[in-house]
Amino acid sequence: MNKAVLIVIVVLVLIIGVFLLLSFKDKIRAYEFAGRIESIEGNQISMAGFFVVKDRPDLSGANQEKKVIVEVSDRTKIIKETIRLPRPEEIKDPNGIFRVDDLKKENREATLDELKSDLAKSDIGLRVSSSINIYGRANFIADQISYRVPIEP
């Protein structure tokens, strides 16, 4: 009897172990969401965009667009990156093309009110990050929000 009980316990442990391994192995993980702001009401930002999934670019295409609500808490860090656009005479390419990565940038902390003010001037794309897996969630609290604002010459 003891041998039969021990065998049943071992089999059950193996089945549970395999189930747990399979359920965590292929779980999609995303810690960032990138997209455009649709609206801001109170401390909630409604966005349309996509979850940034490393090694799975197929989940970041236009056909994968999702809508989420991002909550801004008192611990959320908002980073505003200003980019100084070149004057026409500074652009070396005859077609007027320049690389954004080569432009002068300045990063600083901003507030939600400043983000709202910048949104009133132009459309803004956000990159929102979280320390927890946010993939597939309709709403989550942001740890950090980053956005860019171009500065005309």
Side-chain angles (χ1 to χ4, degrees), residues 22-46:
L22 292 176
S23 65
F24 287 112
K25 181 182 174 192
D26 293 329
K27 187 172 183 180
I28 297 172
R29 298 188 182 280
Y31 299 93
E32 289 184 292
F33 187 85
R36 66 187 183 286
I37 299 172
E38 293 190 324
S39 68
I40 300 177
E41 294 180 26
N43 69 334
Q44 295 185 332
I45 303 171
S46 296

Side-chain angles (χ1 to χ4, degrees), residues 104-123:
K104 184 178 177 185
K105 300 175 190 84
E106 181 182 311
N107 289 336
R108 66 176 183 79
E109 282 196 47
T111 64
L112 185 58
D113 287 334
E114 188 174 353
L115 174 60
K116 289 177 187 178
S117 174
D118 289 336
L119 179 61
K121 298 172 194 167
S122 68
D123 288 337

Side-chain angles (χ1 to χ4, degrees), residues 56-110:
R56 292 290 306 271
D58 58 309
L59 298 175
S60 299
N63 61 341
Q64 296 292 324
E65 186 175 85
K66 307 288 184 208
K67 293 185 186 276
V68 299
I69 295 177
V70 177
E71 288 192 45
V72 180
S73 76
D74 56 343
R75 286 185 244 135
T76 302
K77 188 175 184 179
I78 301 175
I79 304 296
K80 176 181 180 177
E81 179 179 59
T82 54
I83 301 173
R84 305 214 183 284
L85 297 177
R87 290 188 288 273
E89 62 269 13
E90 295 175 325
I91 300 173
K92 295 175 180 150
D93 186 282
N95 296 319
I97 298 172
F98 57 89
R99 289 176 30 95
V100 174
D101 291 339
D102 296 338
L103 300 178
K104 184 178 177 185
K105 300 175 190 84
E106 181 182 311
N107 289 336
R108 66 176 183 79
E109 282 196 47

